[in-house]
């Protein structure tokens, strides 16, 4: 499970050194793809394969499902981190997420999210008050 927030930098070659806490779990392979709110999602290969099995069950007759699958999978990139725990963020994904050199890499349970640091800060500033003031059940059975 991925937890916490980290603040690495993107190097001039578009590489990211994975946070030490995430390296062991991602050492066997990582799949990068477009995420919601203009971030990059990073999954272990096993988690991505599990998710892909669910995507395969989506009805092809439903346009919204086709669109979602196309956008998510066409931007996907599979990698093995190097010995220093680095991965290369493809240019198309860096552009999609509007990444600068300063990043926020967050643990989001079954996935890692890679954000531009300013975009993450803005998102968090907008969402923390909503989170703190939530008085109803958002996720069934949780709080």
């Amino acid at each position: 499970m991925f937890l916490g927030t980290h603040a690495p930098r993107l190097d001039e070659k578009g590489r990211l050194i994975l946070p030490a806490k995430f390296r062991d779990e991602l050492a066997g392979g990582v799949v990068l793809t477009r995420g919601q709110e203009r971030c990059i999602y990073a999954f272990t290969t096993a988690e991505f394969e599990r998710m892909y099995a669910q995507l395969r069950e989506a009805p092809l007759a439903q346009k919204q499902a086709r669109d979602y699958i196309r956008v998510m999978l066409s931007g996907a990139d599979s990698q093995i981190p190097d010995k220093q725990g680095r991965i290369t963020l493809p240019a198309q994904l860096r552009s999609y997420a509007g990444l600068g050199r300063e990043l926020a890499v967050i643990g989001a349970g079954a996935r890692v999210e890679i954000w531009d640091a300013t975009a993450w800060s803005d998102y968090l500033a907008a969402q923390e008050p909503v989170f703190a003031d939530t008085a109803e059940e958002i996720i069934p059975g949780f709080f």
Side-chain angles (χ1 to χ4, degrees):
M1 177 171 34
F2 300 105
L3 304 170
T5 301
H6 308 272
R9 296 183 68 147
L10 195 62
D11 75 11
E12 62 282 345
K13 294 181 181 178
R15 295 178 301 191
L16 161 69
I17 297 174
L18 294 168
K21 289 174 69 174
F22 298 167
R23 286 184 203 158
D24 286 345
E25 199 166 344
L26 294 172
V30 58
V31 178
L32 304 167
T33 192
R34 295 176 187 98
Q36 274 70 48
E37 289 86 33
R38 295 274 178 181
C39 70
I40 298 172
Y41 286 168
F43 298 95
T44 64
T45 300
E47 179 64 19
F48 192 81
E49 287 171 354
R50 185 200 61 74
M51 189 180 68
Y52 175 66
Q54 287 182 285
L55 289 174
R56 288 180 52 186
E57 299 300 318
L60 289 178
Q62 186 179 27
K63 183 179 181 335
Q64 190 174 15
R66 289 191 315 270
D67 291 344
Y68 184 88
I69 291 167
R70 284 179 186 133
V71 171
M72 177 170 251
L73 297 181
S74 69
D77 183 66
S78 180
Q79 298 184 35
I80 302 287
D82 70 12
K83 292 177 179 138
Q84 288 80 36
R86 293 179 302 194
I87 57 173
T88 300
L89 304 180
Q92 71 174 5
L93 291 178
R94 292 193 316 263
S95 177
Y96 169 80
L99 299 184
R101 287 189 46 93
E102 303 296 324
L103 303 178
V105 176
I106 67 164
R111 70 179 179 273
V112 172
E113 294 182 357
I114 304 166
W115 290 74
D116 176 76
T118 301
W120 172 248
S121 180
D122 293 347
Y123 174 84
L124 204 53
Q127 294 304 313
E128 279 182 328
V130 175
F131 174 82
D133 295 337
T134 298
E136 61 200 41
E137 184 178 67
I138 302 295
I139 300 170
F142 197 73
F143 292 98

